Amino acid sequence: MSQLFSTARLGALTLQNHLVMSPMTRNRATGNVPNPLMAEYYAQRATAGLIITEGTSPSANGLGYPRIPGIYSPAQVDGWKLITGAVHAVGAKIFVQLMHCGRIAHPLNLPAGARVLAPSAIAAAGEMYTDAEGMKPNAMPQAMTEADINKSIEEYAQAAKNAVIAGFDGVELHSANGYLLEQFLRPNSNQRINGYGGAIEKRARFVLEVVDAVIKAIGKDKVGIRLSPFGVFNDMPLYDKMEADYTYIAHQLNTRGLVYIHLVDHSHMGAPKVPDSIKEMFRSVFKGKLILSGGYDAARAERDLAAGKCDLVAVGRPFIANPDLVARWKTGAAENVPDMNTFYTPGAKGYTDYTTLG
Ligand SMILES: Cc1cc2nc3c(=O)[nH]c(=O)nc-3n(C[C@H](O)[C@H](O)[C@H](O)COP(=O)(O)O)c2cc1C
């Protein structure tokens, strides 16, 4: 009996299977507004149990990359309605990933008047692609004032309300991979000396206040969070107290009762190993659903579900290249190979033109 392809519960939702499409930025939202091409892309993949959208900004300030969508304007909410309707018609549930890029940004990617913000005025090592001038060093961010922090928390809450209006089943807070929420969690990017920096209780405060505000806005059953303990992407080096810090975070999130925690593991993409002990810690501390991700195939997904290591399995790159991944995994059919050259390019090529078994 396959657990992977049987129905699953997620809060009040029933998912048509245990397979989740991982959040993946695809940069097709010209003008930062979701469009019919994106609706076609997501609908093609809506035999998944749950789709988590690409990172989507709650604020103009959070749009660090070119052509990523937002969910703060009426036009964006209308655009997302096309997508949630198309996905629901096929059968998947869909959460929007709220991603504020913080310091992983360049002003050339931001609309007029928007600002590059971060906990501290420390630029991330590395470069950012811009449509106007190609690769540029990540910008020097402005350290957020308490007023900026309060405004940002309100923006997350409003974005969550907008998500419900747009027809989403819930939101995933992107607190992984070096973006704004993780920038507050990590000591290298958060060197504040006021109430939002210092010990982990202080560094986690912004994330937990965002969690509380979003739960208040739409209810804990509709709120998940993505975390990347031991992740190093976007200039987030390892440090000694990592495991203790994430244990504190796990307990705090458990108290709040959100619907899921989604853990990143990019060791299959060449990143350092994420210790099993940290995944096991989350499993034992957090009583909501646990989603694991990173380098899964069908056999490993079945194994980890059967062993009780997680409740759902999220898959990224195979879903890019195989809109009918669920059918292929059910039958053991060969898979298309993803084309990295078109991961982030505009238009249909490498986006909606992957073949299905038919
Ligand atoms: C093109 C691309 C875009 C991605 N964008 C995001 C994103 O917006 N948010 C996020 O949390 N992870 C993002 N990721 C990471 C994936 O969600 C996932 O963790 C990663 O691909 C590993 O899973 P896989 O081995 O199944 O591909 C992205 C990955 C790829 C390949």
Side-chain angles (χ1 to χ4, degrees):
M1 265 299 287
S2 162
Q3 202 168 332
L4 184 57
F5 303 116
S6 66
T7 58
R9 298 287 299 175
L10 183 67
L13 302 173
T14 301
L15 310 182
Q16 59 193 351
N17 53 55
H18 288 67
L19 197 56
V20 177
M21 178 172 157
S22 282
M24 285 180 291
T25 292
R26 303 302 310 276
N27 307 76
R28 265 66 176 187
T30 306
N32 310 115
V33 176
N35 55 45
L37 179 68
M38 291 164 62
E40 183 185 350
Y41 164 78
Y42 283 112
Q44 286 174 344
R45 288 154 181 79
T47 49
L50 175 69
I51 289 177
I52 304 169
T53 70
E54 62 207 278
T56 300
S57 186
S59 153
N61 296 332
L63 294 167
Y65 291 98
R67 290 170 271 105
I68 67 168
I71 187 157
Y72 55 85
S73 77
Q76 290 162 346
V77 172
D78 282 348
W80 282 118
K81 283 180 184 165
L82 292 177
I83 292 164
T84 59
V87 163
H88 286 148
V90 181
K93 305 297 182 194
I94 180 166
F95 275 41
V96 62
Q97 187 184 56
L98 298 183
M99 173 175 83
H100 188 308
C101 293
R103 67 178 188 159
I104 304 302
H106 196 279
L108 288 171
N109 293 336
L110 300 187
R115 297 154 66 209
V116 178
L117 296 175
S120 301
I122 303 168
E127 294 191 316
M128 163 60 63
Y129 177 78
T130 68
D131 278 335
E133 297 181 16
M135 298 307 288
K136 307 287 280 185
N138 280 315
M140 173 59 78
Q142 296 173 21
M144 289 166 79
T145 63
E146 294 231 357
D148 291 330
I149 287 179
N150 292 335
K151 177 86 187 333
S152 177
I153 293 169
E154 277 170 31
E155 288 169 342
Y156 274 101
Q158 185 59 50
K161 289 182 192 165
N162 291 348
V164 172
I165 294 168
F168 283 105
D169 298 292
V171 306
E172 174 174 287
L173 298 172
H174 194 356
S175 188
N177 300 351
Y179 300 106
L180 183 67
L181 293 176
E182 196 179 72
Q183 288 161 28
F184 271 86
L185 295 179
R186 298 294 188 93
N188 72 307
S189 46
N190 181 351
Q191 296 185 3
R192 299 175 75 94
I193 49 170
N194 64 16
Y196 289 90
I200 184 59
E201 292 78 7
K202 301 284 178 58
R203 278 183 279 121
R205 184 174 157 202
F206 178 62
V207 172
L208 295 172
E209 288 184 2
V210 168
V211 167
D212 288 340
V214 170
I215 286 178
K216 186 158 175 254
I218 63 170
K220 62 186 179 183
D221 242 23
K222 291 191 169 68
V223 184
I225 192 166
R226 198 168 206 219
L227 298 167
S228 48
F230 292 88
V232 297
F233 186 56
N234 281 327
D235 192 15
M236 287 288 152
L238 300 177
Y239 63 99
D240 280 349
K241 290 188 174 161
M242 178 93 76
E243 190 141 1
D245 284 359
Y246 276 92
T247 304
Y248 171 80
I249 293 165
H251 281 282
Q252 290 297 315
L253 293 174
N254 186 53
T255 308
R256 285 160 173 84
L258 58 193
V259 71
Y260 71 72
I261 291 178
H262 181 182
L263 297 181
V264 171
D265 180 342
H266 285 170
S267 55
H268 290 259
M269 303 167 103
K273 184 170 166 51
V274 181
D276 288 342
S277 58
I278 197 110
K279 298 181 186 178
E280 288 158 11
M281 181 279 294
F282 273 101
R283 187 61 165 160
S284 73
V285 169
F286 184 69
K287 304 307 173 202
K289 303 291 185 191
L290 184 67
I291 307 179
L292 292 183
S293 67
Y296 273 94
D297 58 20
R300 183 166 156 247
E302 290 283 15
R303 268 203 311 279
D304 282 4
L305 288 169
K309 290 186 180 174
C310 58
D311 298 291
L312 299 166
V313 168
V315 175
R317 291 161 295 170
F319 259 119
I320 290 180
N322 299 279
D324 57 349
L325 187 70
V326 174
R328 290 182 196 244
W329 277 14
K330 269 185 185 164
T331 58
E335 290 175 33
N336 299 323
V337 177
D339 168 24
M340 283 177 60
N341 295 324
T342 50
F343 276 2
Y344 309 112
T345 47
K349 188 169 180 314
Y351 190 54
T352 50
D353 60 356
Y354 284 103
T355 55
T356 56
L357 291 172

